[in-house]
Amino acid sequence: MQRDLHFILTLLALFFFGKSNLKAQIFNRLNIDFIVNNVQLKNPLAGGLNAPQFSEVDLNNDGKQDLYIFDRVGNVHLTFLNDGNPGETSYTFAPQFIENFPPSFNFVLLRDYNRDGIEDIFSHSDDEGIPGIKVYKGKHVDGKIAFDRLQFTEFQFNVLSLELPNGTRTNLPVNRPDYPSVDDIDSDGDLDIIAPSITGSFMIYFRNLALEKGFTTDTLIFELEDGCWGNFFITPFAEELTLSGAIDSCAFSFTSHQQIEDRHNPHGGSTVLTWDLDNDGVREISLGDLIFPKIITAFNGGTKQTGWMIDQDISFPSYNEPVDIPEFPGCFYLDLDNDGLKDFVAAPNNINSTLDKKVVWFYKNIQSNEEPLFELQQKDLLVKDMLDLGSGANPAFVDYNADGLLDIVAGNFSFFQEEPPGTRDPHLFLFQNIGTADEPKFELTDDDWLGFHQFFQNSWAFAPTFGDLDSDGDLDLLVGERFGNLFYAENTAGPGNPLSFGPIQFGWQGINVGQFSTPQIADVNRDGLSDLVIGERNGNINYFPNQGTPSEPDFLPEPDQTPNNPEFGKIDAAAPGFPTGYSAPLLFDFGDKFWVLTGTQLGWLKACEIDPDSLEEGSFPLLTDRFGNLMEGTRTKPALADLDKDGVLDLLVGNFRGGLGIFKTNVTTGGLVPTREVSQFSDFQIYPNPAANLLTIQVTNEDFKMVKFAIYDTKGRRVSKGELTHSTTRINLSGLNAGIYFLELRMGEEKRIRKFIKE
């Protein structure tokens, strides 16, 4: 791992900085190795998958089709470069392309509507406040795909629209949960749209008339061509389609489209794939339904102008292992193994409860594109290469084995459990750092750390944190959970020893914050006692000052019981208009200042500076509501530590897709030593500053012989090093040019840094 010391040491001179710096900075994503089941994961920090939608795209303009995934859980873009050989499925996570993708919601299809060889975006217009489709035109800029929003000025909303018989216009409607088809249905060279009706009972065909009206494919002009395309009816709660007996009539006789919509309740949602499965020039349709685990494929016996489904496979592909994805599967058609044949992929499209580990069902096309035949290869394509804890990921750093390297403990919400209904499968996971001081590497060594799975019947959504609650010099454990309580386990090992816990206590001290407690331990009010700060589902943060003694912590259990404060700093992780926020606070201590960073339901990280005069009431100054400009998905949970000992904090972020991301921040360690044992290294003084030829270092710690020093210039070059010889040691600077330097003192794995000037 390379370290940019110039960047790091420059930041040290700017130890505290303003809101604009925090918000403007986009943190760099780190590549850190993870090993699971003795296999080094290829894309460990891609962030997990829960409801992925797949498209082919040439990300880097090299002529090779790469892979784009939009995950509905968090509305996140994921990009992967295709590094496979012919017949091989191999993709490498390439997050450098994500920044050029626009904010998107519910669905994204990459399709080349203008036939220029560059994929364009069709996405849901949820952010426009109207159910419809917005479009972005693709281009390549500096070797990366990028997009420009198409402007539709003929309608009051910037979305695809239709002209009504009375001359007015309306949006081309697509329901929020649905996944439409953008395809050339009539084979005339431009892209049409098939989307479920408002109730989901019919498929509506919106025909693109660009070429018919004398325009090029660069134009999008739609009309409602058929309110019952395919002539079939989707009966609520039925496991098969109702087909029509004639090409010229819908399966349900009606006099107007609106009448049928008024007479039937919505059946839920649908995912749509149109494709020619039998090489007869007309499109078949494959449908996933919100309440069924199967894919229904209906076969078209009509014409290019008139769809007419005459047969169906209600459990596709019935000739192989059929798709069986509980609640709302989607399906996709693209070449994933570089053999020139398009393959079939099925995945969940539900943002709530569905498969969260066996997420990507990959069916290889073993025959031809003209008449494809599919054979299931695996149910965890791509996911097997990622660190994916199912749903939810709440990480914390701790040196559990006292080897000087920070390890990771993460709790998940749960793995999906289909049987028996309503059960959960939550865990604590221990990732041991098997790397070095400046190059971390993690291995999953325990997927049920401390046996927390035993509580699954009554508790899940585990959120661990570590801190010295009883002032004995070692780190104790608190774990938040679904119903707002706390688990507590006392560390009985003593300072400097591997963690060793006593009995796990549930409902510790009677504290309950409502739902989804997410605790942190810190001496917030500087009285020498460890306090609690706890996030919750509503989005507020609860402050519990310690009312006990250093060795016996004691807390008043009710969040609103004085001196507790359920509105700590008036911080609210809920976005405007949202009833929930899922606050997940992280406190970090700079000695004379405290910051609080919280995850949020929408995914942005919010940072505030704690005002010591406003602990019991009042608000804290907001540093930024988008720390690092990171958007890793919904229900984020941050953790901070200096993983590679470069003096700059690294940010670990969990998300509700069950994945993790790690980033280099622009925040220096300063006085912060996160989740380590109590410091054995006291502070130090340097003088004079500015210095001429001699710099004096004064250390109060008696073990000065264990302290090493190094001096760096502003370009990150080490210009001097050595060890302290006395508690007061003088260093000769005569060989240094005049300028700014940084002195680093290190004792074991701890270090302190000071800036000085050489005259």
Side-chain angles (χ1 to χ4, degrees):
M1 179 180 295
Q2 296 182 347
R3 298 190 292 169
D4 188 345
L5 287 177
H6 174 61
F7 167 72
I8 293 164
L9 295 173
T10 300
L11 287 174
L12 290 174
L14 303 172
F15 185 77
F16 291 107
F17 36 83
K19 174 180 176 181
S20 61
N21 234 354
L22 283 171
K23 188 169 183 178
Q25 177 71 36
I26 298 177
F27 297 157
N28 293 324
R29 190 181 295 266
L30 298 179
N31 293 319
I32 295 177
D33 292 335
F34 279 78
I35 296 174
V36 176
N37 296 328
N38 298 316
V39 175
Q40 184 165 309
L41 300 180
K42 182 175 182 178
N43 301 307
L45 300 175
L49 296 175
N50 271 28
Q53 302 169 0
F54 298 83
S55 295
E56 291 176 302
V57 59
D58 184 357
L59 292 170
N60 54 359
N61 198 23
D62 66 351
K64 189 173 186 178
Q65 289 293 83
D66 305 303
L67 182 63
Y68 164 83
I69 296 176
F70 178 77
D71 201 305
R72 284 194 70 207
V73 176
N75 293 311
V76 296
H77 306 285
L78 299 169
T79 49
F80 298 81
L81 286 174
N82 186 350
D83 55 14
N85 296 314
E88 179 186 21
T89 302
S90 181
Y91 294 92
T92 298
F93 184 46
Q96 65 270 26
F97 298 97
I98 295 175
E99 62 183 356
N100 287 345
F101 283 79
S104 302
F105 304 87
N106 299 321
F107 65 78
V108 174
L109 298 94
L110 298 189
R111 301 289 187 268
D112 183 10
Y113 80 87
N114 58 355
R115 309 299 189 188
D116 65 351
I118 305 174
E119 287 73 15
D120 312 297
I121 288 179
F122 291 77
S123 179
H124 196 252
S125 56
D126 214 16
D127 55 333
E128 298 282 339
I130 188 170
I133 297 178
K134 55 184 181 179
V135 183
Y136 295 82
K137 184 177 179 179
K139 61 182 180 180
H140 281 107
V141 178
D142 298 328
K144 294 182 180 180
I145 195 167
F147 302 92
D148 293 323
R149 178 77 180 268
L150 287 191
Q151 303 299 316
F152 299 107
T153 58
E154 64 273 15
F155 185 50
Q156 60 179 323
F157 295 95
N158 190 19
V159 298
L160 292 177
S161 64
L162 309 166
E163 185 174 353
L164 299 175
N166 63 5
T168 62
R169 302 195 72 85
T170 186
N171 57 299
L172 189 159
V174 180
N175 300 328
R176 177 178 291 181
D178 293 332
Y179 182 87
S181 169
V182 180
D183 191 11
D184 187 0
I185 300 299
D186 55 3
S187 301
D188 67 348
D190 54 26
L191 293 181
D192 312 297
I193 295 174
I194 300 285
S197 62
I198 294 175
T199 65
S201 300
F202 303 94
M203 291 296 121
I204 302 182
Y205 172 26
F206 298 100
R207 187 184 180 197
N208 188 348
L209 299 178
L211 296 179
E212 285 79 359
K213 289 183 175 292
F215 295 96
T216 66
T217 55
D218 200 43
T219 304
L220 296 170
I221 304 174
F222 290 93
E223 71 171 7
L224 197 163
E225 177 73 13
D226 191 343
C228 184
W229 184 81
N231 292 342
F232 60 88
F233 177 68
I234 305 175
T235 305
F237 306 107
E239 296 189 28
E240 62 182 16
L241 306 176
T242 300
L243 304 180
S244 170
I247 192 173
D248 57 354
S249 65
C250 187
F252 194 101
S253 178
F254 59 93
T255 57
S256 75
H257 174 69
Q258 187 59 48
Q259 286 180 352
I260 197 65
E261 298 294 356
D262 291 342
R263 292 179 59 182
H264 292 272
N265 294 323
H267 83 286
S270 294
T271 60
V272 183
L273 171 66
T274 54
W275 48 342
D276 185 0
L277 281 173
D278 49 14
N279 197 31
D280 62 354
V282 295
R283 294 291 196 266
E284 278 68 52
I285 188 168
S286 293
L287 299 170
D289 192 279
L290 183 60
I291 59 175
F292 293 116
K294 306 296 185 180
I295 292 292
I296 299 175
T297 295
F299 296 89
N300 195 344
T303 68
K304 294 178 182 179
Q305 290 71 36
T306 304
W308 177 34
M309 302 304 154
I310 59 174
D311 196 7
Q312 59 185 311
D313 182 344
I314 65 171
S315 191
F316 185 83
S318 58
Y319 56 81
N320 196 252
E321 182 174 347
V323 173
D324 188 3
I325 296 177
E327 300 184 7
F328 212 13
C331 54
F332 313 89
Y333 190 42
L334 66 166
D335 181 9
L336 285 175
D337 57 3
N338 296 291
D339 63 355
L341 303 181
K342 289 196 172 186
D343 308 299
F344 177 65
V345 179
N349 196 51
N350 195 339
I351 61 174
N352 296 313
S353 180
T354 188
L355 295 180
D356 49 21
K357 192 65 175 178
K358 294 181 178 179
V359 178
V360 185
W361 292 41
F362 168 45
Y363 292 80
K364 178 180 173 62
N365 185 347
I366 59 173
Q367 187 161 281
S368 69
N369 286 329
E370 290 71 30
E371 296 186 29
L373 188 68
F374 302 111
E375 185 177 88
L376 180 64
Q377 305 296 303
Q378 62 187 104
K379 300 178 181 179
D380 60 353
L381 182 70
L382 296 172
V383 183
K384 69 180 180 60
D385 299 321
M386 299 180 187
L387 194 61
D388 193 322
L389 309 183
S391 291
N394 298 316
F397 287 115
V398 67
D399 183 2
Y400 96 99
N401 57 358
D403 65 353
L405 304 177
L406 284 175
D407 311 294
I408 297 172
V409 173
N412 71 343
F413 175 85
S414 176
F415 287 110
F416 174 77
Q417 294 288 99
E418 187 174 6
E419 295 293 342
T423 58
R424 305 288 179 177
D425 185 20
H427 297 256
L428 286 183
F429 301 84
L430 172 62
F431 296 90
Q432 180 182 342
N433 190 341
I434 60 173
T436 62
D438 59 358
E439 190 167 352
K441 182 177 184 178
F442 295 95
E443 181 175 11
L444 178 62
T445 56
D446 195 335
D447 62 4
D448 186 22
W449 192 57
L450 302 182
F452 259 75
H453 182 260
Q454 65 184 297
F455 304 109
F456 76 95
Q457 290 184 329
N458 300 305
S459 184
W460 58 91
F462 297 142
T465 191
F466 300 88
D468 188 3
L469 280 164
D470 52 9
S471 302
D472 63 354
D474 56 25
L475 299 175
D476 307 303
L477 171 68
L478 280 184
V479 179
E481 56 90 46
R482 165 64 177 84
F483 296 101
N485 303 292
L486 296 177
F487 291 92
Y488 168 71
E490 180 188 355
N491 185 0
T492 60
N497 295 311
L499 304 182
S500 179
F501 294 104
I504 299 172
Q505 303 175 37
F506 178 68
W508 185 63
Q509 301 235 355
I511 295 171
N512 186 291
V513 297
Q515 300 181 64
F516 294 94
S517 50
T518 309
Q520 282 286 295
I521 303 169
D523 182 7
V524 179
N525 57 10
R526 309 291 194 185
D527 65 353
L529 306 177
S530 293
D531 308 307
L532 300 181
V533 174
I534 308 176
E536 61 164 298
R537 180 176 183 266
N538 287 348
N540 59 294
I541 297 177
N542 303 271
Y543 169 50
F544 293 82
N546 194 338
Q547 304 299 298
T549 65
S551 60
E552 295 185 5
D554 186 48
F555 299 92
L556 299 179
E558 299 297 328
D560 57 358
Q561 188 175 1
T562 304
N564 297 343
N565 180 6
E567 297 182 350
F568 185 59
K570 304 294 183 185
I571 298 171
D572 189 358
F578 283 75
T580 57
Y582 290 93
S583 53
L586 171 73
L587 276 70
F588 42 107
D589 187 352
F590 291 110
D592 60 339
K593 293 184 180 181
F594 250 129
W595 282 6
V596 58
L597 176 69
T598 183
T600 66
Q601 178 172 342
L602 293 188
W604 301 109
L605 301 178
K606 179 180 290 189
C608 296
E609 182 178 322
I610 294 178
D611 179 359
D613 297 325
S614 302
L615 298 181
E616 296 184 14
E617 60 181 2
S619 60
F620 298 156
L622 177 67
L623 297 171
T624 175
D625 55 4
R626 295 190 176 187
F627 186 66
N629 263 326
L630 300 179
M631 172 52 80
E632 285 292 279
T634 52
R635 292 164 66 168
T636 46
K637 171 64 171 69
L640 276 170
D642 182 7
L643 282 176
D644 52 6
K645 308 300 185 297
D646 63 2
V648 177
L649 291 175
D650 305 301
L651 175 64
L652 173 63
V653 183
N655 68 74
F656 199 66
R657 288 176 288 126
L660 300 174
I662 303 181
F663 304 84
K664 177 66 63 180
T665 75
N666 59 0
V667 181
T668 61
T669 51
L672 173 62
V673 185
T675 57
R676 292 188 183 276
E677 305 291 354
V678 173
S679 175
Q680 303 297 307
F681 185 16
S682 300
D683 211 345
F684 69 96
Q685 303 294 324
I686 60 174
Y687 58 87
N689 190 8
N693 291 323
L694 293 175
L695 178 69
T696 299
I697 305 172
Q698 185 174 348
V699 180
T700 57
N701 195 292
E702 293 295 326
D703 297 323
F704 64 86
K705 292 183 181 180
M706 299 175 62
V707 178
K708 298 180 180 181
F709 74 86
I711 297 175
Y712 296 90
D713 64 16
T714 56
K715 294 184 178 180
R717 297 173 299 194
R718 188 174 64 193
V719 295
S720 180
K721 68 176 183 176
E723 298 181 358
L724 300 190
T725 56
H726 300 85
S727 59
T728 301
T729 301
R730 291 179 176 84
I731 299 176
N732 190 339
L733 305 178
S734 60
L736 302 182
N737 296 325
I740 297 174
Y741 294 87
F742 297 89
L743 173 70
E744 176 192 271
L745 295 192
R746 184 186 293 271
M747 180 178 180
E749 297 302 322
E750 296 187 44
K751 63 184 176 184
R752 301 286 187 271
I753 299 176
R754 291 287 187 276
K755 180 183 74 173
F756 69 92
I757 298 174
K758 166 67 166 61
E759 294 181 326

